[in-house]
Amino acid sequence: MVRLTFAAAMTSLVLALTPIATFAQDAPSPAAAADIVPASLPEVPRNQTVVLAWGVSSGATIGTTNPWSVPPTYTHQEGNNLLWEPLMYFAIYKNEFIPWLADSMDYTDDTFTTLVIKLNAQAQWSDGTPVTSKDVVYTFQGQIDNERLQYHNQFTQEVASVTAVDDLTVEVKFNAPAPRFKFEVLTQKFDTGVSIVPEAYLSAQADPTAAPGRDEIPHSGPFNVVAWNNNQKILDLRPDWWAVKAGRVAEPAVKRVIMVNILNQPIDTVAQRIVNNEFDSSVDMRAQIIGTILQQNPDVQSWTGTESPYGYLDWWPNSLWVNTQLEPYSDPNVRKAISLAIDRNLIDEILYEGAKIATIYPFPLYPNLQAFADSPEVKAEEAKYEPGKFDLEASAKLMTDAGFALDGDGLWAKDGQTLDATIQAFETIHGDIAPVLAEMLRNAGFDANVNFGTDAYQNMTDGKAGLYMFGHGASLFDPFEALNLYDSDFAAAPGAPANAGRFSRYSNPEYDALINEIAPLDSSDPKFIAGAAKALGIYWRDTIDIPVIQWLHRIPYNNHYWTNWPSASSPGLGTNGAFWAYTGMLVITGLQPSGK
């Protein structure tokens, strides 16, 4: 049974810096066709302006503000999240929904086959027209009708009908129990969830997926795009934002947002500009760099203030993956032997100053997932399989059982060939952890080193020999989406590229049966917890991949001009702190001036 996952693909960050350009009527050369160049741009004081450093996506197109624009020319991560809004957000650190365009969104009963959405009566588009059930129905129907849209498969597989009951009420009926649809598809968090689009504007376009949107498309969010070129994007607050009148938020103090393109320049230069108070925040950084920033500028904080580990828990746990279809990695003994060679406590000590970041789980330990991990059912599986155990003797025995012997160099070899334990990884994000793992594996007799080359990701996709340091986005609320990554439906055939980052290529009917059983169940159902725990047990038993660390977003927040950045001690609304995520709008609109 094909069951679609909501896991997000992950790319490495290539960070750089480009000087801030100026927009003027008398520009020395004509703007490119896609640029947005204002006739005039009013001055906004620096203490009313937030300046953000961001590496622009190579797949994004200047001027594209339409969320339906395809092929991938649109991204929410470069300020478009300040234009578009969902029915609800999710506060990951408070473990609760934040009503937004919708006042409520509830299943009618515990069969999870009907969902009723009630819109806020004061929600409006930027052209002053109300957001109504027509817009919601159009948004949902568009996902059903257009296979190029992001959630087309989820809507076509799960949704039976979408009906506007009245101007403010929408009823969604499902083909089968859909207990996760509300959270996974209709609620925005991190980088997933549907934005509601304007029916009147898009239905008037010859092709609603080809219209760029630019600065003309009506949107419900708090900012307007006023200027945009390859160097920067400028968005100004619109004073008539509906959410203030509706009491969702106080009137934002930020009047202008400037997103500066830092592509193809050293991250050290970006860091220095934060130290110089030129940037108020930036993309996330490695521990050494952000630690240096904090030492040089006392106005800058991290999620954990000035103390390690500096970051908040992101939704991208990292594992060492292998191609389980390829010998000798197809042998579970070999995979388990590699896991037993990893000292996770030492990783925490030397890389995170004792913070518990190393992991045994294929999902991040957010509140609801932590509760699942702490359940008696999971603890029983953990005790049985000991997934976090560090034991070089046990590792050596498993390698011997698999037919390997130590050669003259002290490396595990079979038929004259050492086991290739080269770690494919990305220096910009794995420059600290990958060498540590390679050294641990060499100490255990594995022929390990690190490949930070440009071919690393392709080697993972092609399923070549070696280990793959990579993460996945999937579960946030319950473990289903992470466990579903390993369903046989997603196991690419030998020689074919890996299916959407599922590098393990794992296939097991026993495991699939458990996933099918728990799919229609709510995460609070005892049968779900029992079945999910058994599936997690198989994950550990077979060492499908080797979980290593939870991922941290170490984002610098500069308090020189702006305060009230989210932190562990003051999480605000409880969302994650990335300004580029869907919930970044709540971060930006919650900032307060420092008085400088």
PDB file of all heavy atoms in Angstrom, residues 49-72:
ATOM      1  N   THR A  49      13.785  48.676  11.192  1.00  0.00           N
ATOM      2  CA  THR A  49      14.092  47.758  10.098  1.00  0.00           C
ATOM      3  C   THR A  49      14.832  46.532  10.621  1.00  0.00           C
ATOM      4  O   THR A  49      15.795  46.659  11.377  1.00  0.00           O
ATOM      5  CB  THR A  49      14.967  48.448   9.032  1.00  0.00           C
ATOM      6  OG1 THR A  49      14.295  49.601   8.542  1.00  0.00           O
ATOM      7  CG2 THR A  49      15.275  47.512   7.880  1.00  0.00           C
ATOM      8  N   VAL A  50      14.376  45.350  10.234  1.00  0.00           N
ATOM      9  CA  VAL A  50      15.076  44.112  10.542  1.00  0.00           C
ATOM     10  C   VAL A  50      15.837  43.670   9.295  1.00  0.00           C
ATOM     11  O   VAL A  50      15.260  43.573   8.213  1.00  0.00           O
ATOM     12  CB  VAL A  50      14.096  43.013  10.984  1.00  0.00           C
ATOM     13  CG1 VAL A  50      14.789  41.652  11.029  1.00  0.00           C
ATOM     14  CG2 VAL A  50      13.520  43.332  12.351  1.00  0.00           C
ATOM     15  N   VAL A  51      17.140  43.436   9.453  1.00  0.00           N
ATOM     16  CA  VAL A  51      17.995  43.019   8.345  1.00  0.00           C
ATOM     17  C   VAL A  51      18.427  41.576   8.589  1.00  0.00           C
ATOM     18  O   VAL A  51      19.044  41.259   9.611  1.00  0.00           O
ATOM     19  CB  VAL A  51      19.222  43.933   8.198  1.00  0.00           C
ATOM     20  CG1 VAL A  51      20.042  43.512   6.978  1.00  0.00           C
ATOM     21  CG2 VAL A  51      18.793  45.391   8.066  1.00  0.00           C
ATOM     22  N   LEU A  52      18.093  40.687   7.655  1.00  0.00           N
ATOM     23  CA  LEU A  52      18.306  39.257   7.806  1.00  0.00           C
ATOM     24  C   LEU A  52      19.233  38.737   6.716  1.00  0.00           C
ATOM     25  O   LEU A  52      19.069  39.082   5.539  1.00  0.00           O
ATOM     26  CB  LEU A  52      16.967  38.519   7.735  1.00  0.00           C
ATOM     27  CG  LEU A  52      15.879  39.003   8.710  1.00  0.00           C
ATOM     28  CD1 LEU A  52      14.545  38.351   8.375  1.00  0.00           C
ATOM     29  CD2 LEU A  52      16.283  38.696  10.152  1.00  0.00           C
ATOM     30  N   ALA A  53      20.196  37.923   7.091  1.00  0.00           N
ATOM     31  CA  ALA A  53      21.146  37.349   6.141  1.00  0.00           C
ATOM     32  C   ALA A  53      20.678  35.969   5.724  1.00  0.00           C
ATOM     33  O   ALA A  53      20.501  35.083   6.556  1.00  0.00           O
ATOM     34  CB  ALA A  53      22.529  37.270   6.785  1.00  0.00           C
ATOM     35  N   TRP A  54      20.506  35.780   4.435  1.00  0.00           N
ATOM     36  CA  TRP A  54      19.954  34.526   3.932  1.00  0.00           C
ATOM     37  C   TRP A  54      20.594  34.152   2.597  1.00  0.00           C
ATOM     38  O   TRP A  54      20.749  34.992   1.716  1.00  0.00           O
ATOM     39  CB  TRP A  54      18.442  34.639   3.753  1.00  0.00           C
ATOM     40  CG  TRP A  54      17.815  33.396   3.208  1.00  0.00           C
ATOM     41  CD1 TRP A  54      17.323  33.185   1.956  1.00  0.00           C
ATOM     42  CD2 TRP A  54      17.676  32.152   3.906  1.00  0.00           C
ATOM     43  NE1 TRP A  54      16.864  31.897   1.840  1.00  0.00           N
ATOM     44  CE2 TRP A  54      17.065  31.237   3.030  1.00  0.00           C
ATOM     45  CE3 TRP A  54      17.992  31.734   5.195  1.00  0.00           C
ATOM     46  CZ2 TRP A  54      16.780  29.920   3.381  1.00  0.00           C
ATOM     47  CZ3 TRP A  54      17.717  30.425   5.558  1.00  0.00           C
ATOM     48  CH2 TRP A  54      17.104  29.535   4.656  1.00  0.00           C
ATOM     49  N   GLY A  55      20.953  32.880   2.448  1.00  0.00           N
ATOM     50  CA  GLY A  55      21.474  32.389   1.179  1.00  0.00           C
ATOM     51  C   GLY A  55      20.350  32.011   0.253  1.00  0.00           C
ATOM     52  O   GLY A  55      19.598  31.083   0.524  1.00  0.00           O
ATOM     53  N   VAL A  56      20.213  32.735  -0.849  1.00  0.00           N
ATOM     54  CA  VAL A  56      19.077  32.556  -1.755  1.00  0.00           C
ATOM     55  C   VAL A  56      19.156  31.212  -2.469  1.00  0.00           C
ATOM     56  O   VAL A  56      20.215  30.780  -2.914  1.00  0.00           O
ATOM     57  CB  VAL A  56      19.031  33.705  -2.783  1.00  0.00           C
ATOM     58  CG1 VAL A  56      18.005  33.441  -3.866  1.00  0.00           C
ATOM     59  CG2 VAL A  56      18.717  35.019  -2.080  1.00  0.00           C
ATOM     60  N   SER A  57      18.023  30.549  -2.566  1.00  0.00           N
ATOM     61  CA  SER A  57      17.944  29.255  -3.232  1.00  0.00           C
ATOM     62  C   SER A  57      18.184  29.399  -4.729  1.00  0.00           C
ATOM     63  O   SER A  57      17.677  30.327  -5.369  1.00  0.00           O
ATOM     64  CB  SER A  57      16.569  28.631  -2.991  1.00  0.00           C
ATOM     65  OG  SER A  57      16.343  27.550  -3.859  1.00  0.00           O
ATOM     66  N   SER A  58      18.938  28.473  -5.283  1.00  0.00           N
ATOM     67  CA  SER A  58      19.199  28.511  -6.724  1.00  0.00           C
ATOM     68  C   SER A  58      17.944  28.209  -7.529  1.00  0.00           C
ATOM     69  O   SER A  58      17.856  28.542  -8.702  1.00  0.00           O
ATOM     70  CB  SER A  58      20.287  27.496  -7.084  1.00  0.00           C
ATOM     71  OG  SER A  58      19.882  26.183  -6.734  1.00  0.00           O
ATOM     72  N   GLY A  59      16.944  27.578  -6.888  1.00  0.00           N
ATOM     73  CA  GLY A  59      15.715  27.257  -7.597  1.00  0.00           C
ATOM     74  C   GLY A  59      14.660  28.332  -7.530  1.00  0.00           C
ATOM     75  O   GLY A  59      13.603  28.220  -8.151  1.00  0.00           O
ATOM     76  N   ALA A  60      14.911  29.397  -6.744  1.00  0.00           N
ATOM     77  CA  ALA A  60      13.928  30.463  -6.589  1.00  0.00           C
ATOM     78  C   ALA A  60      14.067  31.480  -7.718  1.00  0.00           C
ATOM     79  O   ALA A  60      15.133  31.671  -8.283  1.00  0.00           O
ATOM     80  CB  ALA A  60      14.100  31.153  -5.244  1.00  0.00           C
ATOM     81  N   THR A  61      12.972  32.135  -8.034  1.00  0.00           N
ATOM     82  CA  THR A  61      12.962  33.149  -9.083  1.00  0.00           C
ATOM     83  C   THR A  61      12.526  34.477  -8.498  1.00  0.00           C
ATOM     84  O   THR A  61      11.494  34.563  -7.826  1.00  0.00           O
ATOM     85  CB  THR A  61      12.008  32.743 -10.228  1.00  0.00           C
ATOM     86  OG1 THR A  61      12.458  31.524 -10.798  1.00  0.00           O
ATOM     87  CG2 THR A  61      11.976  33.826 -11.301  1.00  0.00           C
ATOM     88  N   ILE A  62      13.303  35.520  -8.783  1.00  0.00           N
ATOM     89  CA  ILE A  62      12.970  36.858  -8.305  1.00  0.00           C
ATOM     90  C   ILE A  62      11.596  37.260  -8.839  1.00  0.00           C
ATOM     91  O   ILE A  62      11.281  37.071 -10.015  1.00  0.00           O
ATOM     92  CB  ILE A  62      14.032  37.872  -8.765  1.00  0.00           C
ATOM     93  CG1 ILE A  62      15.369  37.553  -8.090  1.00  0.00           C
ATOM     94  CG2 ILE A  62      13.612  39.303  -8.447  1.00  0.00           C
ATOM     95  CD1 ILE A  62      16.527  38.358  -8.628  1.00  0.00           C
ATOM     96  N   GLY A  63      10.782  37.805  -7.969  1.00  0.00           N
ATOM     97  CA  GLY A  63       9.448  38.251  -8.366  1.00  0.00           C
ATOM     98  C   GLY A  63       8.371  37.210  -8.171  1.00  0.00           C
ATOM     99  O   GLY A  63       7.186  37.504  -8.360  1.00  0.00           O
ATOM    100  N   THR A  64       8.733  35.988  -7.793  1.00  0.00           N
ATOM    101  CA  THR A  64       7.741  34.934  -7.637  1.00  0.00           C
ATOM    102  C   THR A  64       7.229  34.909  -6.200  1.00  0.00           C
ATOM    103  O   THR A  64       7.936  34.504  -5.279  1.00  0.00           O
ATOM    104  CB  THR A  64       8.330  33.559  -8.005  1.00  0.00           C
ATOM    105  OG1 THR A  64       8.807  33.606  -9.344  1.00  0.00           O
ATOM    106  CG2 THR A  64       7.273  32.482  -7.878  1.00  0.00           C
ATOM    107  N   THR A  65       5.995  35.356  -6.027  1.00  0.00           N
ATOM    108  CA  THR A  65       5.354  35.371  -4.712  1.00  0.00           C
ATOM    109  C   THR A  65       4.119  34.478  -4.662  1.00  0.00           C
ATOM    110  O   THR A  65       3.490  34.362  -3.611  1.00  0.00           O
ATOM    111  CB  THR A  65       4.936  36.806  -4.340  1.00  0.00           C
ATOM    112  OG1 THR A  65       4.081  37.325  -5.361  1.00  0.00           O
ATOM    113  CG2 THR A  65       6.157  37.717  -4.197  1.00  0.00           C
ATOM    114  N   ASN A  66       3.782  33.859  -5.783  1.00  0.00           N
ATOM    115  CA  ASN A  66       2.612  32.982  -5.860  1.00  0.00           C
ATOM    116  C   ASN A  66       2.987  31.597  -5.348  1.00  0.00           C
ATOM    117  O   ASN A  66       3.815  30.911  -5.944  1.00  0.00           O
ATOM    118  CB  ASN A  66       2.137  32.896  -7.318  1.00  0.00           C
ATOM    119  CG  ASN A  66       1.021  31.886  -7.518  1.00  0.00           C
ATOM    120  OD1 ASN A  66       0.408  31.407  -6.565  1.00  0.00           O
ATOM    121  ND2 ASN A  66       0.755  31.549  -8.785  1.00  0.00           N
ATOM    122  N   PRO A  67       2.394  31.136  -4.238  1.00  0.00           N
ATOM    123  CA  PRO A  67       2.749  29.819  -3.683  1.00  0.00           C
ATOM    124  C   PRO A  67       2.481  28.658  -4.627  1.00  0.00           C
ATOM    125  O   PRO A  67       3.017  27.569  -4.421  1.00  0.00           O
ATOM    126  CB  PRO A  67       1.870  29.700  -2.435  1.00  0.00           C
ATOM    127  CG  PRO A  67       1.428  31.075  -2.121  1.00  0.00           C
ATOM    128  CD  PRO A  67       1.377  31.812  -3.419  1.00  0.00           C
ATOM    129  N   TRP A  68       1.652  28.885  -5.633  1.00  0.00           N
ATOM    130  CA  TRP A  68       1.354  27.822  -6.580  1.00  0.00           C
ATOM    131  C   TRP A  68       2.289  27.822  -7.779  1.00  0.00           C
ATOM    132  O   TRP A  68       2.140  26.996  -8.675  1.00  0.00           O
ATOM    133  CB  TRP A  68      -0.099  27.954  -7.074  1.00  0.00           C
ATOM    134  CG  TRP A  68      -1.107  27.423  -6.097  1.00  0.00           C
ATOM    135  CD1 TRP A  68      -0.899  27.067  -4.801  1.00  0.00           C
ATOM    136  CD2 TRP A  68      -2.489  27.193  -6.361  1.00  0.00           C
ATOM    137  NE1 TRP A  68      -2.071  26.624  -4.233  1.00  0.00           N
ATOM    138  CE2 TRP A  68      -3.069  26.696  -5.164  1.00  0.00           C
ATOM    139  CE3 TRP A  68      -3.312  27.362  -7.469  1.00  0.00           C
ATOM    140  CZ2 TRP A  68      -4.416  26.357  -5.055  1.00  0.00           C
ATOM    141  CZ3 TRP A  68      -4.651  27.029  -7.372  1.00  0.00           C
ATOM    142  CH2 TRP A  68      -5.203  26.535  -6.179  1.00  0.00           C
ATOM    143  N   SER A  69       3.244  28.708  -7.805  1.00  0.00           N
ATOM    144  CA  SER A  69       4.125  28.811  -8.963  1.00  0.00           C
ATOM    145  C   SER A  69       5.009  27.573  -9.076  1.00  0.00           C
ATOM    146  O   SER A  69       5.736  27.215  -8.164  1.00  0.00           O
ATOM    147  CB  SER A  69       4.998  30.060  -8.853  1.00  0.00           C
ATOM    148  OG  SER A  69       5.859  30.164  -9.961  1.00  0.00           O
ATOM    149  N   VAL A  70       4.947  26.911 -10.214  1.00  0.00           N
ATOM    150  CA  VAL A  70       5.768  25.736 -10.511  1.00  0.00           C
ATOM    151  C   VAL A  70       6.257  25.847 -11.949  1.00  0.00           C
ATOM    152  O   VAL A  70       5.616  26.508 -12.770  1.00  0.00           O
ATOM    153  CB  VAL A  70       4.961  24.430 -10.332  1.00  0.00           C
ATOM    154  CG1 VAL A  70       4.665  24.169  -8.876  1.00  0.00           C
ATOM    155  CG2 VAL A  70       3.662  24.459 -11.135  1.00  0.00           C
ATOM    156  N   PRO A  71       7.366  25.209 -12.308  1.00  0.00           N
ATOM    157  CA  PRO A  71       8.250  24.395 -11.475  1.00  0.00           C
ATOM    158  C   PRO A  71       8.834  25.202 -10.327  1.00  0.00           C
ATOM    159  O   PRO A  71       8.497  26.390 -10.203  1.00  0.00           O
ATOM    160  CB  PRO A  71       9.324  23.929 -12.470  1.00  0.00           C
ATOM    161  CG  PRO A  71       9.327  24.972 -13.525  1.00  0.00           C
ATOM    162  CD  PRO A  71       7.910  25.437 -13.648  1.00  0.00           C
ATOM    163  N   PRO A  72       9.689  24.580  -9.500  1.00  0.00           N
ATOM    164  CA  PRO A  72      10.012  25.202  -8.206  1.00  0.00           C
ATOM    165  C   PRO A  72      10.701  26.558  -8.331  1.00  0.00           C
ATOM    166  O   PRO A  72      11.917  26.676  -8.225  1.00  0.00           O
ATOM    167  CB  PRO A  72      10.921  24.161  -7.552  1.00  0.00           C
ATOM    168  CG  PRO A  72      11.491  23.373  -8.679  1.00  0.00           C
ATOM    169  CD  PRO A  72      10.417  23.315  -9.703  1.00  0.00           C
TER     170      PRO A  72
END
